């Protein structure tokens, strides 16, 4: 089992290029099914979840191979419309393939993506939206049997702005006749990236980044070369690493416009952050200050994916900070592990109160989930002594090589196989 070994206490100094965004590339890989031509994805992060998507594509008869940091996909050989239960369980966001397979094949068969370490992860909004577009969806023994010989565009109103449901419907709508309008759509930058990819393939999609996304279906789509946007949660992780350990870092390619709520909180805590087209520079000195309550919310609110990471950065702050997790039910599992390092955190329902302590100490800790795992690394940088982080396969889902990037930023971190 691989582990991450971090010796804390030193300040950071260094520069790193931010990897391509996991949450962009996953729906874009599903979207490659909408054209039989070759698609080249530049700056594609090499992640466990990307590997899982590649295995799904290959299982459907498509070709996918790496050329350096670029992933080339050709779906001309598509010869199946079902995804095995094993592959569906491997990656929670595999449900996103449903809309794309339906659009391309008129039918699809896959199992529920299943439960999740963050709590239940229903796909009811995905399914009701697809039904509204004309799909017939049956559920037998945990398998979803979907048929839609003809998808028809119409207005679909989401009861909450689900990222995955918005993406699934955008992909299905590309294969539908007429115009689909998704109201109360998610506004995350990754939705804009998906729109940009679809447009590069010839699709007519408008409005991503606002609450209404419009798709004119049945456009002839072709291949393209597309560069994946930088990962805002990876950037947030490294900013929080600098906030936690102190020091001076530069994140090449990071976009502050995607991270405004995170950088605002870090500035409030005492970090100095300067951003331009080249990236984001962050300098942090001395102990951080506690900040006003941090409430997770759909974009442009504070991202739930950065909650654990920011919490880790504030463990040694002066004062107490209240967190409120409003997106997922079970997203404080990292708290027990942080407590082993000397953190003072009290959880009550969806609230967690972090009271800053003078010192943290290294300890053996376990990743409970992807961002919770990254949070352990952020905390370990500020802890005295050595921290061994186990179960890092969670981290591999979303970070190409966290130890490599941490070293580039001046940390004493190593991956032990
Ligand atoms: C995406 C991100 C994930 C991030 C999350 C919220 C990807 C691959 N993953 O996940 O990293 O944490 O957005 O920003 O992009 N919900 C329902 N029914 C549904 C769909 C969602 O009740 O059919 C609920 C969920 O349980 C959750 C909330 O809506 O409470 C938000 O989920 P959603 O925006 O769909 O997140 P994901 O797309 O799964």
């Amino acid at each position: 089992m691989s582990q991450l070994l971090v010796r804390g206490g030193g300040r950071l100094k260094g520069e790193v290029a931010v990897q391509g965004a996991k949450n962009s590339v996953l729906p874009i890989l599903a979207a490659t099914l909408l054209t039989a031509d070759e698609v080249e994805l530049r700056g594609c992060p090499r992640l466990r979840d990307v590997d899982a998507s590649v295995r799904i594509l290959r299982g459907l008869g498509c070709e996918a191979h790496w050329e350096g940091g670029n992933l080339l996909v050709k779906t001309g050989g598509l010869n199946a419309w079902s995804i095995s239960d094993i592959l569906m369980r491997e990656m929670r966001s595999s449900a996103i393939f449903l809309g794309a397979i339906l659009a391309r094949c008129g039918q699809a068969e896959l199992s529920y993506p299943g439960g999740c370490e963050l709590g239940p992860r229903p796909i009811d909004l995905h399914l009701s939206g697809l039904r509204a577009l004309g799909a017939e969806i049956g559920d037998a023994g945990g398998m979803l049997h979907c048929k839609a010989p003809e998808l028809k565009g119409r207005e679909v109103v989401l009861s909450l702005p689900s990222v995955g449901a918005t993406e699934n419907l955008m992909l299905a709508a590309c294969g539908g006749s007429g115009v689909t309008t998704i109201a109360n759509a998610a506004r995350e930058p990754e939705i804009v990236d998906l729109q940009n990819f679809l447009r590069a393939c010839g699709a007519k999609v408008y409005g991503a980044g606002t609450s209404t996304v419009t798709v004119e279906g049945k456009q002839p789509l072709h291949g393209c070369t597309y560069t994946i946007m930088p990962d805002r949660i990876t950037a947030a992780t490294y900013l929080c690493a600098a906030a936690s350990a102190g020091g001076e870092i530069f994140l090449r390619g990071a976009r502050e416009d995607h991270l405004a709520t995170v950088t605002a909180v870090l500035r409030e805590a005492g970090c100095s952050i300067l951003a331009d087209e080249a990236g984001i520079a962050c300098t942090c000195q001395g102990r951080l200050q506690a900040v006003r309550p941090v409430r997770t919310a759909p974009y442009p609110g504070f991202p739930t994916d950065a909650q654990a990471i920011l919490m880790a950065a504030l463990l040694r702050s002066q004062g107490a900070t209240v967190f409120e997790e409003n997106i997922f039910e079970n997203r404080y599992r990292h708290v027990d592990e942080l407590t082993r390092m000397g953190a003072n955190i009290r959880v009550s329902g969806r609230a967690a109160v972090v009271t800053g302590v003078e010192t943290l100490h290294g300890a053996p800790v376990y990743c409970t989930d992807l961002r919770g795992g990254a949070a352990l690394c952020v905390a370990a940088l500020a802890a005295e002594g050595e921290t061994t982080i186990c179960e890092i396969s969670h981290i591999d889902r979303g970070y190409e090589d966290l130890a490599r990037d941490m070293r580039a930023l001046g940390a004493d971190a190593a991956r032990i196989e």
Side-chain angles (χ1 to χ4, degrees), residues 22-23 26 93 120-126 160-164 188 304-305 327-328 331:
K22 169 179 93 71
N23 289 352
L26 299 179
S93 52
R121 213 139 169 189
I123 55 165
D124 54 313
L125 299 176
H126 302 229
L160 56 89
S162 156
V163 175
E188 268 69 0
T304 173
D305 287 350
I327 307 294
F328 291 109
R331 208 158 196 185

Side-chain angles (χ1 to χ4, degrees), residues 322-334:
V322 176
F323 283 81
E324 190 180 286
E325 172 55 52
N326 296 308
I327 307 294
F328 291 109
E329 277 177 29
N330 195 12
R331 208 158 196 185
Y332 286 131
R333 292 178 63 209
H334 49 279

